Amino acid sequence: MLISLTYLKLKEMSRKHNIEKAKKLIKTAKERGAKLIILPSLFPVGNTFELYNNEKKMRSVVKNLAEKIPGNSTDILVKLAMEGEIHLIAGPLLEQAGPKIFLTTLVISPDGEIIGKYRKIMMSEKDVKLGISGGKEPIYVVLDKKYGVVSEDDLFSPEISRILALGGSQLIIGTTRPVNKKQDLIKYVAITRSIENGVSYLINGEMIENEDGEIVGYTPTFIATPESLVYKEAEDEDSIVLVESSMIIQNKEGMNARLNGIESIIYGLCKSIKKTKLNEKPIPKPEG
């Protein structure tokens, strides 16, 4: 299955503008053969959680955007999937479920059916302050392959990735929220998770443009594999990254063999360091 990541420059809180951009990229991806398309976090309004320190403003944003599923945002995504005749993974969205609010990623089929719903598990400090609740368990979606789904801070949890890998995920798809510093950190973390678990990661970032036309934050859109590290990356705003799923499925036997070799090397290095430390003579204290 050909998969398309979308690297969108979203205008803050401008639904109509952002939806039109997404339609163009979806059309381009479909024309090039994509069957599964990923949209960024909090599409179509853009995720600004880590960009502003005004807690009162962010609480207002959460209150205004949180809605039941299905709801207005869900309807937009369903329409995009049906018009494009593609599978769509989008989110997280702010989901109102009774008294609780979750950050929820949806998987939608070409006929508009919600075939997967994942509530983000790992809450950031900002999420907690804004009253957002965490989900309970990871999910898998079976299309042509078995896909694990992660969202934002989930990537920083080794346990979530390990559960998905042990559960048979052949690829892991995730979205990230924009930040205004240390943007490459997300790449290092994704590469680490990929090597740890022998699974490729498809990470969809985004850019945020404020009402004055200034870029206030972004995170990269890229694919990390155990062998290539950064296999592909979006270089331009409002662009797509295409990859055939079968091209980045890892050979588990080969990967395990390499990891066993690495483990032996690390063990040897640790042993050498320990031996060196034991043979070190203490530095005499200065007199007086």
Side-chain angles (χ1 to χ4, degrees):
M1 177 181 279
L2 190 64
I3 303 171
S4 175
L5 301 174
T6 57
Y7 193 42
L8 280 161
K9 181 173 74 172
L10 299 174
K11 187 171 287 188
E12 186 180 346
M13 304 304 291
S14 184
R15 286 176 181 264
K16 186 176 180 180
H17 174 83
N18 297 330
I19 290 168
E20 288 306 312
K21 274 192 173 186
K23 282 182 178 179
K24 291 178 182 178
L25 289 188
I26 289 171
K27 182 181 179 183
T28 299
K30 183 190 173 185
E31 288 174 349
R32 294 180 64 179
K35 301 296 184 183
L36 170 61
I37 295 177
I38 322 299
L39 289 179
S41 173
L42 250 62
F43 178 83
V45 297
N47 194 325
T48 58
F49 280 14
E50 298 299 330
L51 303 180
Y52 302 116
N53 293 320
N54 187 330
E55 190 173 320
K56 184 178 180 181
K57 177 182 177 179
M58 288 295 98
R59 281 186 174 275
S60 176
V61 168
V62 169
K63 183 179 178 181
N64 290 332
L65 293 182
E67 59 185 58
K68 292 180 180 179
I69 293 176
N72 184 47
S73 294
T74 312
D75 292 343
I76 291 168
L77 296 172
V78 165
K79 188 176 181 181
L80 288 173
M82 293 179 71
E83 287 180 349
E85 299 177 318
I86 43 91
H87 282 90
L88 193 66
I89 295 180
L93 312 172
L94 284 161
E95 178 195 7
Q96 184 78 55
K100 292 186 176 182
I101 295 175
F102 297 97
L103 283 162
T104 303
T105 297
L106 299 178
V107 185
I108 303 170
S109 71
D111 60 6
E113 181 185 357
I114 296 174
I115 58 175
K117 187 169 84 167
Y118 169 66
R119 289 170 172 167
K120 175 182 167 182
I121 295 173
M122 293 299 296
M123 294 292 101
S124 70
E125 184 179 345
K126 184 71 68 69
D127 294 334
V128 174
K129 286 182 178 179
L130 297 178
I132 300 172
S133 300
K136 293 182 179 180
E137 58 188 17
I139 71 160
Y140 315 87
V141 178
V142 180
L143 300 174
D144 66 315
K145 312 289 182 186
K146 192 172 186 179
Y147 295 90
V149 180
V150 294
S151 175
E152 303 176 342
D153 303 271
D154 291 332
L155 195 61
F156 294 97
S157 166
E159 295 81 5
I160 292 174
S161 284
R162 183 52 57 91
I163 289 169
L164 290 170
L166 291 175
S169 292
Q170 295 167 283
L171 296 172
I172 294 178
I173 294 173
T175 53
T176 60
R177 58 178 57 167
V179 293
N180 50 27
K181 60 182 179 180
K182 297 183 179 179
Q183 285 86 358
D184 281 342
L185 178 63
I186 193 70
K187 281 196 278 191
Y188 304 143
V189 176
I191 289 168
T192 301
R193 296 288 169 265
S194 182
I195 293 171
E196 285 174 345
N197 297 292
V199 178
S200 296
Y201 282 68
L202 290 76
I203 304 298
N204 207 113
E206 65 190 276
M207 301 178 75
I208 297 293
E209 178 185 21
N210 66 15
E211 58 185 11
D212 297 320
E214 301 169 331
I215 302 300
V216 292
Y218 71 92
T219 42
T221 292
F222 63 97
I223 298 164
T225 71
E227 294 177 335
S228 302
L229 304 186
V230 176
Y231 178 77
K232 277 188 178 182
E233 182 175 1
E235 297 180 356
D236 302 310
E237 62 190 48
D238 299 330
S239 63
I240 60 175
V241 176
L242 294 168
V243 65
E244 180 61 50
S245 59
S246 60
M247 295 296 293
I248 52 173
I249 296 293
Q250 302 302 306
N251 181 332
K252 291 289 185 179
E253 291 182 5
M255 182 60 62
N256 289 336
R258 284 201 304 280
L259 290 177
N260 287 336
I262 291 171
E263 188 175 338
S264 300
I265 293 169
I266 292 172
Y267 176 77
L269 287 171
C270 291
K271 197 171 180 181
S272 298
I273 292 169
K274 186 177 180 181
K275 185 176 180 181
T276 302
K277 286 188 174 182
L278 288 172
N279 291 333
E280 284 179 351
K281 294 181 180 180
I283 299 173
K285 294 181 180 180
E287 296 182 0

